């Protein structure tokens, strides 16, 4: 590791004496390259934090991108990205056993920063459309009056209605594993819970299960898949799915699909 990187690491780790810190800060003010490297290393520490990976950093998230960043760091894409970074860190640990593996390599740094930048500055023009068309209140209740209801179903719906989507999804998945006969509406609730958490792959899996249920509810699967693609800003798959819906006027959300196609185009 270069001497200036060791100095930066020592400075950021607060391992310098007061005199050393003053000397280093004077060097930063006089050396543009050193100042730029210091900023990069600060940014990298912000992106990768062993404890909570930036989501818990309240100062960073106090701006208009808070919701987007928080949503991203909880998503499947962020999980995959963090796994890739972990592998780079592990490689560095094995080759630098006596040094704290802070500098992750320029390729990894560029990959991370490009991913975050693309996310933060992407076109989110579909956000309002998603909020308009998802219509959470339209999902039929799982709880049937006058009949004995599964306790997990009741708990899951209450959590869902209180927007505790992570807990709700866990409860519904447990219900699906334990129930002898599954209420197909649970696939909608679980899929939408995952969708609200930006766990798109898991949401699609739930809606695929809904399609395979061969019930009246199964006809709704295409619409909810469309909501996944809408939130992902995946225009190609969104239009393909909506086109399937509008082919038959008896399909669920037929008119809404027509209107949404018009707005997307």
């Amino acid at each position: 590791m270069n001497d200036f990187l060791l100095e930066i690491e020592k400075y950021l780790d607060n391992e310098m004496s007061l005199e050393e810190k003053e000397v280093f800060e004077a060097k930063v003010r006089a050396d543009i390259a050193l100042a730029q490297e210091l900023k990069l290393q600060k940014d990298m520490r912000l992106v990768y934090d062993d404890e909570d990976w930036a989501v818990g950093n309240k100062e960073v998230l106090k701006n208009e991108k808070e919701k987007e960043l928080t949503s991203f760091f909880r998503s499947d894409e962020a999980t995959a990205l963090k796994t890739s970074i972990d592998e780079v860190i592990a490689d560095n640990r094995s080759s630098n056993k006596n040094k704290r593996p802070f500098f992750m390599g320029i390729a990894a740094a560029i990959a991370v920063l490009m991913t975050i930048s693309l996310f933060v500055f992407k076109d989110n023009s579909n956000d309002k459309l998603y909020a308009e068309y998802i219509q959470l209140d339209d999902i039929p209740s799982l709880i049937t009056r006058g009949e004995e209801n599964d306790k997990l179903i009741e708990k899951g719906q209450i959590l869902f209605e209180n927007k505790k989507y992570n807990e709700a999804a866990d409860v519904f998945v447990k219900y699906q594993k334990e129930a002898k006969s599954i209420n197909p509406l649970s696939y909608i609730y679980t899929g939408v819970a995952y969708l609200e958490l930006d766990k798109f792959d898991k949401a699609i899996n739930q809606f695929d299960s809904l399609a395979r249920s061969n019930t009246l509810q199964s006809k709704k699967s295409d619409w909810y898949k469309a909501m996944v693609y809408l939130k992902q800003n995946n225009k190609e798959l969104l239009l393909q799915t909506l086109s399937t819906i509008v082919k038959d006027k008896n399909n669920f959300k037929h008119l809404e699909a027509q209107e949404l196609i018009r707005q997307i185009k």
Side-chain angles (χ1 to χ4, degrees):
M1 190 180 292
N2 295 334
D3 290 342
F4 72 89
L5 289 175
L6 289 171
E7 278 192 288
I8 290 173
E9 181 176 337
K10 193 174 179 181
Y11 177 76
L12 293 175
D13 286 340
N14 200 27
E15 294 175 353
M16 287 184 171
S17 66
L18 181 60
E19 292 77 11
E20 289 175 326
K21 188 175 181 180
E22 290 176 350
V23 170
F24 177 76
E25 290 175 346
K27 289 169 64 176
V28 171
R29 290 192 293 271
D31 188 334
I32 295 177
L34 178 58
Q36 290 176 337
E37 185 63 35
L38 175 61
K39 183 179 184 306
L40 172 62
Q41 297 299 331
K42 283 182 178 180
D43 290 342
M44 292 305 300
R45 287 199 175 197
L46 175 61
V47 171
Y48 189 87
D49 184 333
D50 285 337
E51 295 301 320
D52 55 14
W53 207 35
V55 174
N57 192 325
K58 306 300 185 192
E59 295 303 318
V60 175
L61 298 180
K62 285 180 179 177
N63 55 53
E64 69 277 5
K65 294 297 181 182
E66 177 176 356
K67 183 177 179 181
E68 295 174 23
L69 284 169
T70 302
S71 177
F72 172 74
F73 281 117
R74 290 174 178 167
S75 69
D76 294 337
E77 291 85 350
T79 300
L81 177 61
K82 186 174 185 295
T83 299
S84 297
I85 296 173
D86 282 335
E87 292 172 355
V88 175
I89 291 293
D91 289 341
N92 283 343
R93 283 198 178 102
S94 63
S95 59
N96 297 281
K97 292 182 179 179
N98 297 322
K99 297 179 181 179
R100 182 175 180 271
F102 177 65
F103 185 67
M104 299 192 303
I106 191 64
I110 291 173
V112 173
L113 294 175
M114 284 183 65
T115 302
I116 299 300
S117 297
L118 285 172
F119 172 78
V120 172
F121 297 108
K122 72 179 181 180
D123 179 12
N124 287 310
S125 58
N126 286 348
D127 288 353
K128 290 183 179 179
L129 287 176
Y130 170 78
E132 177 184 349
Y133 281 96
I134 187 62
Q135 299 175 345
L136 300 181
D137 293 338
D138 285 354
I139 304 175
S141 175
L142 282 160
I143 302 172
T144 305
R145 294 183 180 180
E147 295 184 12
E148 184 177 351
N149 295 293
D150 190 296
K151 296 300 181 183
L152 285 175
I153 283 286
E154 293 184 14
K155 181 179 180 181
Q157 181 165 331
I158 291 171
L159 288 168
F160 184 93
E161 290 173 351
N162 285 297
K163 302 186 185 303
K164 296 181 179 180
Y165 298 117
N166 201 35
E167 296 94 328
D170 288 344
V171 169
F172 285 128
V173 168
K174 183 178 180 182
Y175 159 76
Q176 291 169 3
K177 289 179 179 178
E178 296 180 357
K180 294 180 180 179
S181 178
I182 299 175
N183 186 330
L185 283 173
S186 72
Y187 295 126
I188 297 178
Y189 275 92
T190 314
V192 173
Y194 282 136
L195 179 52
E196 289 294 299
L197 295 168
D198 289 343
K199 296 183 177 181
F200 301 118
D201 291 341
K202 290 185 176 182
I204 289 293
N205 287 338
Q206 288 292 319
F207 300 139
D208 282 341
S209 295
L210 176 64
R212 292 191 296 268
S213 68
N214 294 319
T215 63
L216 291 176
Q217 300 297 334
S218 66
K219 297 179 179 180
K220 299 179 180 180
S221 60
D222 282 337
W223 174 255
Y224 286 107
K225 285 182 183 179
M227 294 299 96
V228 175
Y229 304 136
L230 178 62
K231 195 173 187 186
Q232 282 184 311
N233 292 301
N234 189 331
K235 185 176 180 180
E236 181 179 358
L237 287 179
L238 173 59
L239 289 174
Q240 286 179 12
T241 307
L242 292 174
S243 296
T244 299
I245 296 173
V246 300
K247 286 179 181 178
D248 186 343
K249 66 179 181 181
N250 294 315
N251 281 334
F252 181 66
K253 298 289 185 180
H254 173 264
L255 294 178
E256 288 85 345
Q258 286 182 321
E259 178 62 20
L260 186 51
I261 288 175
R262 186 190 66 78
Q263 294 188 61
I264 291 298
K265 288 184 174 181

